[in-house]
mmCIF file of all heavy atoms in Angstrom:
data_model
loop_
_atom_site.group_PDB
_atom_site.id
_atom_site.type_symbol
_atom_site.label_atom_id
_atom_site.label_comp_id
_atom_site.label_asym_id
_atom_site.label_seq_id
_atom_site.Cartn_x
_atom_site.Cartn_y
_atom_site.Cartn_z
ATOM 1 N N ASP A 7 104.110 107.315 118.550
ATOM 2 C CA ASP A 7 103.738 107.289 117.127
ATOM 3 C C ASP A 7 104.023 105.934 116.496
ATOM 4 O O ASP A 7 103.196 105.392 115.753
ATOM 5 C CB ASP A 7 104.496 108.350 116.365
ATOM 6 C CG ASP A 7 103.865 109.739 116.467
ATOM 7 O OD1 ASP A 7 102.752 109.820 116.998
ATOM 8 O OD2 ASP A 7 104.509 110.691 116.027
ATOM 9 N N TYR A 8 105.213 105.396 116.780
ATOM 10 C CA TYR A 8 105.535 104.078 116.232
ATOM 11 C C TYR A 8 104.643 102.986 116.801
ATOM 12 O O TYR A 8 104.322 102.029 116.102
ATOM 13 C CB TYR A 8 107.015 103.739 116.450
ATOM 14 C CG TYR A 8 107.909 104.206 115.328
ATOM 15 C CD1 TYR A 8 108.889 105.166 115.556
ATOM 16 C CD2 TYR A 8 107.761 103.695 114.044
ATOM 17 C CE1 TYR A 8 109.707 105.597 114.521
ATOM 18 C CE2 TYR A 8 108.585 104.145 113.018
ATOM 19 C CZ TYR A 8 109.550 105.083 113.262
ATOM 20 O OH TYR A 8 110.353 105.515 112.234
ATOM 21 N N LEU A 9 104.193 103.165 118.027
ATOM 22 C CA LEU A 9 103.243 102.165 118.578
ATOM 23 C C LEU A 9 101.942 102.188 117.796
ATOM 24 O O LEU A 9 101.361 101.144 117.549
ATOM 25 C CB LEU A 9 102.986 102.478 120.055
ATOM 26 C CG LEU A 9 104.057 102.024 121.043
ATOM 27 C CD1 LEU A 9 103.709 102.469 122.446
ATOM 28 C CD2 LEU A 9 104.286 100.541 120.979
ATOM 29 N N MET A 10 101.512 103.387 117.371
ATOM 30 C CA MET A 10 100.298 103.468 116.552
ATOM 31 C C MET A 10 100.532 102.763 115.208
ATOM 32 O O MET A 10 99.712 101.958 114.774
ATOM 33 C CB MET A 10 99.877 104.899 116.317
ATOM 34 C CG MET A 10 98.629 105.013 115.449
ATOM 35 S SD MET A 10 98.214 106.721 115.141
ATOM 36 C CE MET A 10 97.006 106.519 113.860
ATOM 37 N N LEU A 11 101.664 103.075 114.564
ATOM 38 C CA LEU A 11 101.956 102.460 113.250
ATOM 39 C C LEU A 11 102.015 100.942 113.394
ATOM 40 O O LEU A 11 101.330 100.237 112.628
ATOM 41 C CB LEU A 11 103.321 102.977 112.739
ATOM 42 C CG LEU A 11 103.826 102.325 111.450
ATOM 43 C CD1 LEU A 11 102.954 102.714 110.252
ATOM 44 C CD2 LEU A 11 105.280 102.679 111.201
ATOM 45 N N PHE A 12 102.822 100.443 114.312
ATOM 46 C CA PHE A 12 102.984 99.000 114.448
ATOM 47 C C PHE A 12 101.752 98.350 115.045
ATOM 48 O O PHE A 12 101.468 97.158 114.811
ATOM 49 C CB PHE A 12 104.229 98.665 115.242
ATOM 50 C CG PHE A 12 105.509 99.070 114.519
ATOM 51 C CD1 PHE A 12 106.474 99.831 115.162
ATOM 52 C CD2 PHE A 12 105.727 98.702 113.222
ATOM 53 C CE1 PHE A 12 107.635 100.198 114.495
ATOM 54 C CE2 PHE A 12 106.889 99.060 112.532
ATOM 55 C CZ PHE A 12 107.841 99.818 113.190
ATOM 56 N N GLY A 13 100.982 99.085 115.823
ATOM 57 C CA GLY A 13 99.736 98.539 116.368
ATOM 58 C C GLY A 13 98.708 98.277 115.284
ATOM 59 O O GLY A 13 98.136 97.203 115.178
ATOM 60 N N VAL A 14 98.476 99.286 114.431
ATOM 61 C CA VAL A 14 97.553 99.133 113.326
ATOM 62 C C VAL A 14 98.046 98.035 112.368
ATOM 63 O O VAL A 14 97.279 97.116 112.010
ATOM 64 C CB VAL A 14 97.355 100.482 112.529
ATOM 65 C CG1 VAL A 14 96.641 100.260 111.226
ATOM 66 C CG2 VAL A 14 96.642 101.509 113.392
ATOM 67 N N ALA A 15 99.315 98.101 112.007
ATOM 68 C CA ALA A 15 99.870 97.088 111.095
ATOM 69 C C ALA A 15 99.791 95.679 111.729
ATOM 70 O O ALA A 15 99.435 94.717 111.058
ATOM 71 C CB ALA A 15 101.296 97.433 110.737
ATOM 72 N N GLY A 16 100.133 95.583 113.001
ATOM 73 C CA GLY A 16 100.126 94.291 113.687
ATOM 74 C C GLY A 16 98.751 93.634 113.738
ATOM 75 O O GLY A 16 98.647 92.440 113.489
ATOM 76 N N VAL A 17 97.727 94.416 114.025
ATOM 77 C CA VAL A 17 96.352 93.879 114.057
ATOM 78 C C VAL A 17 96.001 93.378 112.675
ATOM 79 O O VAL A 17 95.413 92.290 112.521
ATOM 80 C CB VAL A 17 95.357 94.942 114.551
ATOM 81 C CG1 VAL A 17 93.930 94.536 114.273
ATOM 82 C CG2 VAL A 17 95.557 95.223 116.039
ATOM 83 N N LEU A 18 96.311 94.152 111.639
ATOM 84 C CA LEU A 18 95.952 93.764 110.279
ATOM 85 C C LEU A 18 96.752 92.532 109.811
ATOM 86 O O LEU A 18 96.206 91.652 109.154
ATOM 87 C CB LEU A 18 96.144 94.923 109.308
ATOM 88 C CG LEU A 18 95.123 96.032 109.528
ATOM 89 C CD1 LEU A 18 95.527 97.299 108.787
ATOM 90 C CD2 LEU A 18 93.731 95.566 109.083
#
Side-chain angles (χ1 to χ4, degrees):
D7 278 351
Y8 271 116
L9 283 176
M10 180 182 168
L11 175 70
F12 293 129
V14 169
V17 166
L18 290 167

